[in-house]
Amino acid sequence: MSTGATSLSSPSTLVGLIWPSRDDARFAALRAIVLMAVGTALLTLSAKVQVPLPYVPMTLQTLVVLIIGASYGWRLGGATVGLYLLQGAMGLPVFAGPTAGIGYMMGPTGGFLFGFLAAAIVMGFMAERGWDRSLLRVIVMMSLGHALVFAFGLAQLSLVMPFAKAWTVGAAPFIAATLVKTALAVALMQAAWAVTRRGEDAR
């Protein structure tokens, strides 16, 4: 039965094309719940795959955040990362560190978490406008996403230490890995769209 419900994800996104929504409130809600559960699970798993460093651990989270935003769209991507942050705020062990809760999020490294939300929303907004479909644009898009995470992270980290030290401990050790993760995010999006286009052409 049609209810006029509005889907959280845009039909122009990767997920919107692979798993289209329907004009049915119950289906749209179930679809959103499933996708958000998958997204938060991937974020939690990626947080635990890490290289420990003195201040900020190196994880795969930024890669997953960018992919979620780009493939879900800004509404569903933002809601998914927002749910992940809510889980952490409630004390669930979803973050990279051994602790969670509001105190952890307000701590020196919490800015990176808020950067995840900003990056997911911006990635989704750009993806809905076709930035995820051409090689050059997706490179710019993913680079911007990582830059947003660093901007939020360094802003909060620099509240407790000089900016030069914040850069040294919160950005410099991650530059090489960020370049690799950006390239991987670009490759994954390009591959996903290539497969999706072949599927569409085969119909």
Coordinates of all heavy atoms in Angstrom, one line a residue, residues 10-19 66-73 123-124 126-135 137-139 141-142 184-203:
S10 N 18.8 8.6 -1.3 CA 18.4 9.1 -2.6 C 18.5 8.0 -3.6 O 19.4 7.2 -3.6 CB 19.4 10.2 -3.0 OG 19.2 10.6 -4.4
P11 N 17.6 7.9 -4.6 CA 17.6 6.9 -5.6 C 18.8 7.1 -6.6 O 19.1 6.1 -7.3 CB 16.3 7.1 -6.4 CG 15.9 8.5 -6.1 CD 16.4 8.8 -4.7
S12 N 19.5 8.2 -6.5 CA 20.6 8.5 -7.4 C 21.9 7.9 -6.8 O 23.0 8.0 -7.4 CB 20.7 10.0 -7.7 OG 21.0 10.7 -6.5
T13 N 21.9 7.5 -5.5 CA 23.1 6.9 -4.9 C 23.3 5.5 -5.3 O 22.4 4.8 -5.8 CB 23.0 7.1 -3.4 OG1 21.9 6.3 -2.9 CG2 22.8 8.5 -3.0
L14 N 24.5 5.0 -5.0 CA 24.8 3.6 -5.3 C 23.8 2.6 -4.6 O 23.2 1.7 -5.2 CB 26.2 3.3 -4.8 CG 26.8 1.9 -5.2 CD1 26.8 1.7 -6.7 CD2 28.2 1.7 -4.6
V15 N 23.6 2.8 -3.3 CA 22.7 1.9 -2.6 C 21.2 2.1 -3.1 O 20.5 1.2 -3.2 CB 22.8 2.2 -1.1 CG1 21.6 1.6 -0.3 CG2 24.1 1.6 -0.5
G16 N 20.9 3.4 -3.4 CA 19.6 3.6 -3.9 C 19.3 2.9 -5.2 O 18.1 2.5 -5.5
L17 N 20.3 2.7 -6.0 CA 20.1 1.9 -7.3 C 20.2 0.4 -7.1 O 19.4 -0.3 -7.7 CB 21.2 2.4 -8.3 CG 21.0 3.8 -8.8 CD1 22.2 4.1 -9.7 CD2 19.7 4.0 -9.6
I18 N 21.1 0.0 -6.2 CA 21.2 -1.5 -5.9 C 20.0 -2.0 -5.2 O 19.4 -3.1 -5.5 CB 22.5 -1.7 -5.1 CG1 23.7 -1.4 -5.9 CG2 22.5 -3.2 -4.6 CD1 25.0 -1.5 -5.2
W19 N 19.5 -1.2 -4.2 CA 18.3 -1.6 -3.4 C 17.4 -0.5 -3.3 O 17.3 0.3 -2.4 CB 18.8 -2.1 -2.0 CG 17.6 -2.7 -1.2 CD1 16.4 -3.0 -1.6 CD2 17.7 -2.9 0.3 NE1 15.7 -3.5 -0.6 CE2 16.4 -3.5 0.6 CE3 18.6 -2.8 1.3 CZ2 16.1 -3.9 1.9 CZ3 18.3 -3.2 2.5 CH2 17.0 -3.7 2.9
L66 N 33.6 7.3 4.6 CA 33.5 7.8 3.2 C 32.7 7.0 2.3 O 31.9 7.5 1.5 CB 34.9 8.0 2.6 CG 35.9 9.0 3.3 CD1 37.1 9.2 2.5 CD2 35.2 10.3 3.7
I67 N 32.9 5.7 2.4 CA 32.1 4.8 1.6 C 30.6 4.8 1.9 O 29.7 4.8 1.1 CB 32.6 3.3 1.7 CG1 34.0 3.2 1.1 CG2 31.7 2.3 1.0 CD1 34.1 3.6 -0.4
I68 N 30.3 4.8 3.2 CA 28.9 4.9 3.7 C 28.3 6.2 3.2 O 27.2 6.2 2.6 CB 28.9 4.8 5.2 CG1 29.1 3.4 5.7 CG2 27.5 5.3 5.7 CD1 29.2 3.2 7.2
G69 N 28.9 7.3 3.4 CA 28.4 8.6 2.9 C 28.2 8.6 1.4 O 27.1 9.0 0.9
A70 N 29.1 8.1 0.7 CA 29.1 8.2 -0.8 C 28.0 7.2 -1.3 O 27.4 7.5 -2.4 CB 30.4 7.9 -1.4
S71 N 27.8 6.1 -0.7 CA 26.9 5.1 -1.2 C 25.5 5.2 -0.7 O 24.5 4.8 -1.3 CB 27.5 3.7 -1.0 OG 27.7 3.4 0.4
Y72 N 25.4 5.7 0.5 CA 24.0 5.9 1.2 C 23.3 7.2 0.8 O 22.1 7.2 0.8 CB 24.2 5.8 2.7 CG 24.3 4.4 3.3 CD1 24.7 3.3 2.5 CD2 24.0 4.2 4.6 CE1 24.9 2.1 3.1 CE2 24.1 2.9 5.2 CZ 24.6 1.9 4.4 OH 24.7 0.6 5.0
G73 N 24.1 8.2 0.5 CA 23.5 9.6 0.4 C 23.6 10.3 1.7 O 23.9 9.7 2.8
M123 N 29.9 13.8 1.8 CA 30.1 12.8 0.8 C 28.8 12.4 0.2 O 28.6 12.2 -1.0 CB 30.7 11.5 1.4 CG 32.2 11.6 1.9 SD 33.3 12.1 0.6 CE 33.4 13.9 0.9
G124 N 27.7 12.2 1.0 CA 26.4 11.9 0.5 C 25.8 13.0 -0.3 O 25.2 12.7 -1.4
M126 N 27.5 15.2 -2.1 CA 28.2 15.3 -3.4 C 27.8 14.1 -4.2 O 27.7 14.2 -5.5 CB 29.7 15.3 -3.1 CG 30.1 16.6 -2.4 SD 31.9 16.6 -2.0 CE 32.6 16.9 -3.7
A127 N 27.7 12.9 -3.6 CA 27.4 11.7 -4.4 C 26.0 11.8 -5.1 O 25.8 11.4 -6.2 CB 27.4 10.5 -3.5
E128 N 25.0 12.4 -4.4 CA 23.7 12.6 -4.9 C 23.7 13.5 -6.1 O 22.8 13.6 -6.9 CB 22.8 13.1 -3.9 CG 22.4 12.1 -2.8 CD 21.5 12.6 -1.7 OE1 20.9 13.7 -1.9 OE2 21.4 12.0 -0.7
R129 N 24.8 14.3 -6.3 CA 25.0 15.1 -7.4 C 26.0 14.6 -8.5 O 26.5 15.4 -9.3 CB 25.4 16.5 -6.9 CG 24.2 17.3 -6.3 CD 24.5 18.2 -5.2 NE 23.3 18.8 -4.7 CZ 22.5 18.1 -3.8 NH1 22.9 16.9 -3.4 NH2 21.4 18.7 -3.3
G130 N 26.3 13.3 -8.4 CA 27.1 12.7 -9.4 C 28.6 12.7 -9.2 O 29.4 12.2 -10.1
W131 N 29.1 13.2 -8.1 CA 30.5 13.3 -7.9 C 31.2 12.0 -7.7 O 32.4 11.9 -7.8 CB 30.8 14.2 -6.6 CG 30.8 15.7 -7.0 CD1 29.6 16.4 -7.2 CD2 31.9 16.6 -7.1 NE1 30.0 17.7 -7.5 CE2 31.3 17.8 -7.4 CE3 33.2 16.4 -7.0 CZ2 32.1 18.9 -7.7 CZ3 34.0 17.5 -7.3 CH2 33.5 18.8 -7.6
D132 N 30.4 10.9 -7.4 CA 31.0 9.6 -7.1 C 31.2 8.8 -8.4 O 31.6 7.6 -8.3 CB 30.2 8.9 -6.1 CG 28.8 8.6 -6.6 OD1 28.3 9.5 -7.4 OD2 28.1 7.6 -6.2
R133 N 30.8 9.3 -9.6 CA 30.8 8.5 -10.8 C 31.9 8.7 -11.7 O 32.1 7.9 -12.6 CB 29.4 8.7 -11.5 CG 28.3 8.5 -10.6 CD 27.0 8.4 -11.3 NE 25.8 8.4 -10.3 CZ 24.6 8.2 -10.7 NH1 24.3 7.9 -11.9 NH2 23.6 8.2 -9.8
S134 N 32.6 9.8 -11.6 CA 33.8 10.0 -12.5 C 35.1 10.0 -11.7 O 35.1 10.4 -10.5 CB 33.7 11.4 -13.3 OG 33.9 12.5 -12.4
L135 N 36.1 9.5 -12.3 CA 37.4 9.3 -11.6 C 37.9 10.6 -10.9 O 38.2 10.6 -9.7 CB 38.4 8.7 -12.5 CG 39.8 8.4 -11.9 CD1 39.7 7.4 -10.7 CD2 40.8 7.9 -12.9
R137 N 36.4 13.4 -10.2 CA 35.5 14.0 -9.2 C 35.5 13.1 -7.9 O 35.5 13.7 -6.8 CB 34.1 14.1 -9.7 CG 33.9 15.3 -10.7 CD 32.5 15.6 -10.9 NE 32.3 16.8 -11.6 CZ 31.1 17.4 -11.8 NH1 30.0 16.8 -11.3 NH2 31.0 18.5 -12.5
V138 N 35.6 11.8 -8.1 CA 35.6 11.0 -6.9 C 36.9 11.1 -6.1 O 36.9 11.0 -4.9 CB 35.3 9.5 -7.2 CG1 36.5 8.8 -7.8 CG2 34.7 8.8 -6.0
I139 N 38.0 11.4 -6.8 CA 39.3 11.6 -6.1 C 39.1 12.9 -5.3 O 39.5 13.0 -4.1 CB 40.4 11.8 -7.1 CG1 40.7 10.4 -7.7 CG2 41.7 12.3 -6.4 CD1 41.7 10.5 -8.9
M141 N 36.4 14.3 -4.2 CA 35.4 14.0 -3.2 C 35.9 13.3 -2.0 O 35.8 13.7 -0.8 CB 34.3 13.2 -3.8 CG 33.1 12.8 -2.9 SD 32.0 11.8 -3.9 CE 31.1 10.9 -2.7
M142 N 36.7 12.2 -2.2 CA 37.2 11.4 -1.1 C 38.3 12.2 -0.4 O 38.5 12.1 0.8 CB 37.7 10.1 -1.6 CG 36.7 9.2 -2.2 SD 35.4 8.8 -0.9 CE 34.3 7.8 -1.9
L184 N 42.0 3.7 -2.1 CA 41.2 2.5 -2.0 C 39.7 2.9 -2.1 O 38.9 2.2 -2.7 CB 41.5 1.8 -0.6 CG 40.8 0.5 -0.4 CD1 41.0 -0.5 -1.5 CD2 41.2 -0.1 1.0
A185 N 39.3 4.0 -1.4 CA 37.9 4.4 -1.5 C 37.5 4.8 -2.9 O 36.4 4.4 -3.4 CB 37.7 5.7 -0.6
V186 N 38.4 5.4 -3.6 CA 38.2 5.8 -5.0 C 38.0 4.5 -5.8 O 37.1 4.4 -6.6 CB 39.3 6.6 -5.6 CG1 39.2 6.8 -7.1 CG2 39.3 8.0 -4.9
A187 N 38.9 3.6 -5.7 CA 38.9 2.3 -6.4 C 37.6 1.5 -6.1 O 37.0 1.0 -7.0 CB 40.1 1.4 -6.1
L188 N 37.2 1.5 -4.8 CA 36.0 0.7 -4.5 C 34.7 1.4 -5.1 O 33.8 0.7 -5.6 CB 35.8 0.7 -3.0 CG 36.8 -0.2 -2.2 CD1 36.7 0.0 -0.7 CD2 36.5 -1.7 -2.6
M189 N 34.6 2.7 -5.1 CA 33.5 3.4 -5.7 C 33.5 3.2 -7.2 O 32.4 2.9 -7.8 CB 33.5 4.9 -5.3 CG 33.2 5.2 -3.9 SD 31.6 4.5 -3.3 CE 30.4 5.3 -4.3
Q190 N 34.6 3.3 -7.8 CA 34.7 3.1 -9.3 C 34.3 1.7 -9.6 O 33.5 1.4 -10.6 CB 36.1 3.4 -9.8 CG 36.5 4.9 -9.7 CD 35.8 5.7 -10.8 OE1 36.2 5.6 -12.0 NE2 34.8 6.5 -10.5
A191 N 34.8 0.7 -8.9 CA 34.4 -0.7 -9.1 C 32.9 -1.0 -8.9 O 32.3 -1.7 -9.7 CB 35.3 -1.6 -8.3
A192 N 32.4 -0.4 -7.8 CA 31.0 -0.6 -7.5 C 30.1 -0.1 -8.6 O 29.1 -0.7 -9.0 CB 30.7 0.0 -6.2
W193 N 30.4 1.1 -9.1 CA 29.6 1.7 -10.2 C 29.8 1.0 -11.5 O 28.8 0.8 -12.2 CB 30.0 3.2 -10.4 CG 29.2 4.1 -9.5 CD1 29.7 4.9 -8.4 CD2 27.8 4.4 -9.5 NE1 28.7 5.6 -7.9 CE2 27.5 5.3 -8.5 CE3 26.8 3.9 -10.3 CZ2 26.2 5.8 -8.3 CZ3 25.5 4.4 -10.1 CH2 25.2 5.3 -9.1
A194 N 31.0 0.4 -11.7 CA 31.2 -0.4 -13.0 C 30.3 -1.6 -12.9 O 29.6 -2.0 -13.9 CB 32.6 -0.7 -13.1
V195 N 30.3 -2.3 -11.8 CA 29.4 -3.5 -11.6 C 27.9 -3.1 -11.8 O 27.2 -3.8 -12.4 CB 29.7 -4.2 -10.3 CG1 28.7 -5.3 -10.1 CG2 31.1 -4.7 -10.3
T196 N 27.6 -2.0 -11.1 CA 26.2 -1.6 -11.2 C 25.7 -1.2 -12.6 O 24.6 -1.6 -13.0 CB 25.9 -0.4 -10.2 OG1 26.3 -0.7 -8.9 CG2 24.5 0.1 -10.2
R197 N 26.6 -0.5 -13.3 CA 26.2 -0.2 -14.7 C 26.1 -1.4 -15.6 O 25.2 -1.5 -16.4 CB 27.3 0.7 -15.3 CG 27.3 2.1 -14.6 CD 28.3 3.0 -15.4 NE 28.4 4.3 -14.7 CZ 29.4 4.7 -14.0 NH1 30.5 3.9 -13.9 NH2 29.5 5.9 -13.5
R198 N 27.0 -2.4 -15.4 CA 26.9 -3.6 -16.1 C 25.6 -4.4 -15.8 O 24.9 -4.9 -16.7 CB 28.1 -4.6 -15.9 CG 29.3 -4.1 -16.5 CD 30.3 -5.3 -16.7 NE 30.8 -5.7 -15.3 CZ 31.9 -5.2 -14.7 NH1 32.6 -4.3 -15.3 NH2 32.2 -5.7 -13.5
G199 N 25.2 -4.3 -14.5 CA 23.9 -5.0 -14.1 C 22.7 -4.3 -14.8 O 21.8 -4.9 -15.2
E200 N 22.8 -2.9 -14.8 CA 21.7 -2.2 -15.4 C 21.6 -2.4 -16.9 O 20.5 -2.6 -17.5 CB 21.9 -0.7 -15.2 CG 21.7 -0.2 -13.7 CD 20.3 -0.3 -13.3 OE1 19.4 0.1 -14.1 OE2 20.0 -0.7 -12.2
D201 N 22.8 -2.5 -17.6 CA 22.8 -2.8 -19.0 C 22.3 -4.2 -19.4 O 21.8 -4.4 -20.5 CB 24.2 -2.6 -19.6 CG 24.7 -1.1 -19.5 OD1 23.8 -0.2 -19.4 OD2 25.9 -0.9 -19.5
A202 N 22.5 -5.1 -18.5 CA 22.1 -6.5 -18.7 C 20.6 -6.7 -18.6 O 20.1 -7.7 -19.0 CB 22.8 -7.4 -17.8
R203 N 19.9 -5.7 -18.0 CA 18.5 -5.9 -17.8 C 17.7 -5.6 -19.1 O 18.1 -4.8 -19.9 CB 18.0 -5.0 -16.7 CG 18.5 -5.3 -15.3 CD 18.0 -4.4 -14.3 NE 18.6 -4.7 -13.0 CZ 18.5 -3.9 -11.9 NH1 17.8 -2.8 -12.0 NH2 19.0 -4.3 -10.8

